[in-house]
Amino acid sequence: MTLDARRVEIPGARPETPDYGAPGVVHARRTQGRTVENGSAEEDWTALLIRVRDRQDRAAFAQLYRHFAPRVKAFLMKGGTGEALAEECVQDVMATLWQKAALFDPARASVATWVFTIARNRRIDALRRARPEPEDLDWGPAGDEPDQAEVYEAAQETKRLGEAIARLPDKQRVLIERAYFGELSHTEIAAETGLPLGTIKSRIRLALERLRQQLG
Amino acid sequence: MTIRHHIPDRLLMAYAAGQLPEAFSLVIATHVSVCDVCRAQLAAYEALGGAVVERTEGIAMRDGSLEALMARLDALPPVSKTVARPRGSLPAPLMDYIGGDLDSVKWRPIGMGVRQALLPTDRSATVRLLHIPAGAPVPDHGHRGLEMTMVLRGAFRDQLDRFGPGDVEVADTELHHTPVAEQGEDCICLAATDAPLRFTGMVPRLAQKFLRI
């Protein structure tokens, strides 16, 4: 899915609702049925990115940077990118996150997934390769409010998948990680992940079906 | 269109990971443009990429990196719209590579009424449009690598099945097949290979080299 092509307005996240970072709609849902580990609430990356989108909130951006920049750097270096180039690419990835925050659709993907796609594309650029993108979908009239349950689900998927990856046998986990780090050629990549990807696929398919119905 | 033949998961995962040659990526991007099943599965594999990044143990950025970027933020204009892509009878990624719609394709005959047009990609694999007259066979050819063929117009059949608009057939070295375009409508396909096709009955080897087929 092309993640950077959607414009979805969230009335609840407009500047006139200035407490988005505080317990708001998304936040309230997040706390339902969620076990808080180590006694500390995890950061709500989606809410932070929406603050960047709506208010060019630099403090929110800095929080996102501190979390994602070192991870993207490691992600690139594990794939063989040298430290200096990795650093440069991370700066570009985070600059893109700032510039394209308006294109992030919290009902489609988590911030981590969006950051991954930006980093992947930057790595392809650095290798002077090309990766044609699918046609964008018109996710509908601006002003449509994304389903808050979907926003919550998308944000939670990364966490659940991460936990599922951690439970995999070492060999399988390493193969998946190496595929995404860019260490495996396409002939070496196997699809059998042993991970619960079906739930994500189902959620996206439902959203696509709704979209197709709206488009008539 | 009713799509019955989809992109295999391992190739969607490779595409999500950014590990496919450009030629195959074009076939996948074209198929995903019209196939919600594969679009959703691709989203799942991208979510997996997000989870891999999230759980990667970070490597500290150099001192001052955040401050350096923060100082540049005001000079980075927000982007609120994606670049408009061409619209026509074909999916946008394919039109990008053709430089227009089907009527812009620069076909070249390769024998037996079959025409082809190579599309410009890096040389790690090749991708072409094939125009096969209704009822005509695409001559038997073997593979030395991976081949992906997506039907754009018409349909073809081979020993395995029928492939109609939107369908993708994936063949590897095991398969020695003889697709035939269905009667009634010429068949137009998008075909990517990571090894030159070896037509066994149609064009001499020398001509293959010359035509890059």
Side-chain angles (χ1 to χ4, degrees):
Chain A
M1 179 174 61
T2 307
L3 297 167
D4 57 357
R6 322 266 150 61
R7 268 180 308 123
V8 173
E9 307 278 332
I10 306 177
R14 299 284 95 190
E16 57 267 26
T17 317
D19 61 344
Y20 202 84
V25 185
V26 175
H27 213 82
R29 273 206 63 97
R30 289 175 54 77
T31 52
Q32 288 173 13
R34 181 168 63 90
T35 52
V36 177
E37 287 165 39
N38 305 325
S40 65
E42 69 191 81
E43 297 297 333
D44 189 339
W45 309 119
T46 300
L48 288 170
L49 188 50
I50 287 171
R51 276 163 54 189
V52 171
R53 181 190 73 182
D54 293 342
R55 291 181 248 158
Q56 289 78 51
D57 185 325
R58 300 168 76 96
F61 178 77
Q63 272 185 272
L64 289 163
Y65 186 99
R66 289 189 195 98
H67 181 77
F68 285 107
R71 284 172 169 79
V72 172
K73 183 174 177 178
F75 170 77
L76 294 169
M77 289 181 67
K78 281 172 184 289
T81 308
E83 198 265 349
L85 180 57
E87 184 98 5
E88 183 188 325
C89 289
V90 172
Q91 296 295 72
D92 291 345
V93 168
M94 298 309 293
T96 301
L97 179 137
W98 170 264
Q99 289 188 279
K100 296 193 172 175
L103 300 176
F104 172 67
D105 181 347
R108 300 276 86 78
S110 72
V111 179
T113 296
W114 195 55
V115 167
F116 158 72
T117 60
I118 297 171
R120 172 198 66 198
N121 293 348
R122 184 62 186 84
R123 181 176 69 197
I124 288 170
D125 283 350
L127 294 169
R128 297 176 190 284
R129 291 195 286 124
R131 179 184 177 280
E133 293 275 349
E135 200 164 296
D136 303 324
L137 292 180
D138 183 358
W139 283 94
D144 261 18
E145 185 175 1
D147 186 320
Q148 290 304 316
E150 281 185 54
V151 173
Y152 173 75
E153 278 304 311
Q156 285 298 296
E157 277 163 5
T158 299
K159 183 166 174 282
R160 287 199 206 108
L161 268 183
E163 290 164 357
I165 293 170
R167 286 193 297 268
L168 288 175
D170 283 353
K171 194 179 166 204
Q172 204 166 356
R173 186 180 67 246
V174 168
L175 271 179
I176 290 169
E177 288 172 344
R178 290 183 65 206
Y180 283 92
F181 293 150
E183 290 180 276
L184 300 184
S185 74
H186 70 88
T187 53
E188 296 168 315
I189 290 175
E192 188 42 63
T193 62
L195 294 168
L197 295 174
T199 51
I200 301 174
K201 184 180 181 179
S202 302
R203 182 179 65 78
I204 303 282
R205 284 216 61 191
L206 279 174
L208 288 167
E209 279 166 23
R210 264 204 318 278
L211 178 67
R212 299 294 182 201
Q213 280 167 9
Q214 284 166 16
L215 295 177
Chain B
M1 72 185 77
T2 306
I3 294 172
R4 293 173 50 238
H5 298 280
H6 298 278
I7 306 287
D9 281 351
R10 66 186 174 85
L11 293 176
L12 277 179
M13 183 169 165
Y15 177 71
Q19 288 303 111
L20 268 190
E22 184 180 4
F24 294 112
S25 292
L26 178 58
V27 178
I28 292 183
T30 302
H31 177 83
V32 168
S33 295
V34 296
C35 177
D36 285 353
V37 173
C38 289
R39 194 184 282 272
Q41 186 73 338
L42 176 61
Y45 283 120
E46 289 184 334
L48 180 52
V52 168
V53 168
E54 177 65 34
R55 68 186 300 281
T56 298
E57 192 175 334
I59 294 175
M61 295 292 285
R62 294 178 183 176
D63 286 347
S65 294
L66 172 59
E67 292 72 18
L69 182 55
M70 294 289 275
R72 285 204 291 134
L73 289 184
D74 287 337
L76 298 171
V79 178
S80 58
K81 281 186 180 169
T82 49
V83 179
R85 299 174 84 174
R87 291 202 176 264
S89 74
L90 296 172
L94 183 52
M95 291 186 61
D96 288 341
Y97 277 75
I98 292 172
D101 212 326
L102 263 183
D103 56 8
S104 306
V105 176
K106 294 176 181 62
W107 296 105
R108 295 176 63 175
I110 56 170
M112 309 255 308
V114 178
R115 293 182 289 160
Q116 76 163 3
L118 285 168
L119 299 177
T121 60
D122 68 49
R123 298 183 65 91
S124 56
T126 55
V127 60
R128 76 204 68 215
L129 290 160
L130 286 170
H131 184 131
I132 304 149
V138 176
D140 187 19
H141 56 278
H143 306 272
R144 274 179 293 170
L146 176 67
E147 180 189 317
M148 293 177 73
T149 308
M150 177 176 166
V151 176
L152 302 168
R153 298 283 186 276
F156 69 77
R157 287 178 184 274
D158 66 9
Q159 287 89 335
L160 298 178
D161 215 330
R162 176 186 188 271
F163 295 83
D167 283 338
V168 174
E169 183 186 48
V170 175
D172 58 22
T173 46
E174 305 303 310
L175 183 68
H176 204 65
H177 67 161
T178 50
V180 177
E182 274 193 346
Q183 295 291 342
E185 186 182 0
D186 289 358
C187 181
I188 299 176
C189 302
L190 179 67
T193 53
D194 62 4
L197 285 185
R198 289 174 299 146
F199 289 94
T200 52
M202 189 169 68
V203 194
R205 279 195 167 273
L206 194 62
Q208 281 188 44
K209 201 173 174 184
F210 179 67
L211 295 168
R212 279 187 71 200
I213 61 173

